[in-house]
Each structure stands twice: as C-alpha cells, then as structure tokens.
C-alpha cells in the first residue's frame, strides 16, 4: 500500500470527494494523526484511503475551507439539475 502526504493546495477532486464523504460534518480531534516527517517537522493530518493508497492530508484552516467550498459546489450542482417546470405555463409547442 502506498502512503502519500498531501497538502490541501495539491488536493485533486477525487481526494476532496473522499474527504467530504468520510468527514461530512468535518473532522474531530480524534481523527487527526500527528507525526514528524523526514525533516523533523511536526505534521497533523487526516487519513483517507483508496484501494491502493493511504492519503494523509495535512490539516489546517484552509483544508476546512476547501472541504466546505467543495461541498457547497456539489450542492449547487445537484440543485441546478433539478429544474422544476410549471406545467400550467407550458404551451403545446413545449410538449413536442
């Protein structure tokens, strides 16, 4: 299994989807993994997995903001596909 440390700035759509799916209400302190990297820097991250990769996504204010914005974008896309049609205002030509 591959392990990757990813900064929020380098998140792709797939990883962001995994994060939002795994933490729909945001992540809590118990979800955070803390460790020191090869440069002895203190890192805090949350984990998401695919079939072959474990992603450790660095946490911070901007990660929360990116997750919230992504979720809002998804909600807007879902809402825009549900166009309601007022059948009382349709003409016969509209039905063809």
């Amino acid at each position: 299994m591959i392990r990757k440390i990813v900064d929020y700035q380098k998140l792709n759509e797939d990883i962001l989807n995994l994060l939002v799916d795994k933490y729909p209400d945001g992540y809590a302190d118990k979800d955070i993994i803390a460790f020191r990297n090869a440069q002895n820097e203190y890192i805090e991250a949350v984990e998401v997995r695919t079939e072959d990769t474990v992603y450790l996504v660095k946490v911070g204010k901007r990660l929360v903001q990116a997750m919230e914005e992504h979720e809002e974008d998804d909600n807007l896309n879902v809402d825009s596909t549900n166009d309601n049609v007022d059948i009382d205002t349709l003409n016969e030509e509209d039905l063809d």
Side-chain angles (χ1 to χ4, degrees), residues 3-94:
R3 293 181 150 250
K4 292 185 178 184
I5 300 172
V6 183
D7 191 67
Y8 82 94
Q9 294 172 332
K10 297 180 182 177
L11 290 179
N12 63 32
E13 190 80 15
D14 295 331
I15 299 172
L16 207 45
N17 284 333
L18 290 171
L19 278 169
V20 171
D21 288 345
K22 184 170 182 178
Y23 306 105
D25 298 322
Y27 53 86
D29 288 342
K30 65 181 177 72
D31 300 315
I32 297 174
I33 300 167
F35 60 94
R36 294 207 176 264
N37 66 9
Q39 291 77 33
N40 205 30
E41 299 169 322
Y42 183 76
I43 305 290
E44 291 183 332
V46 290
E47 179 182 278
V48 289
R49 294 175 178 250
T50 62
E51 290 180 13
D52 61 345
T53 307
V54 175
Y55 293 98
L56 296 175
V57 182
K58 293 180 185 179
V59 299
K61 292 178 188 176
R62 294 189 181 185
L63 173 61
V64 172
Q65 182 179 10
M67 288 174 66
E68 288 173 352
E69 288 172 1
H70 180 73
E71 190 170 29
E72 287 172 7
D73 289 346
D74 281 351
N75 289 338
L76 287 176
N77 290 337
V78 169
D79 290 345
S80 66
T81 61
N82 294 330
D83 295 333
N84 293 328
V85 176
D86 183 1
I87 60 172
D88 294 331
T89 62
L90 290 177
N91 298 323
E92 280 187 34
E93 297 160 0
D94 295 329

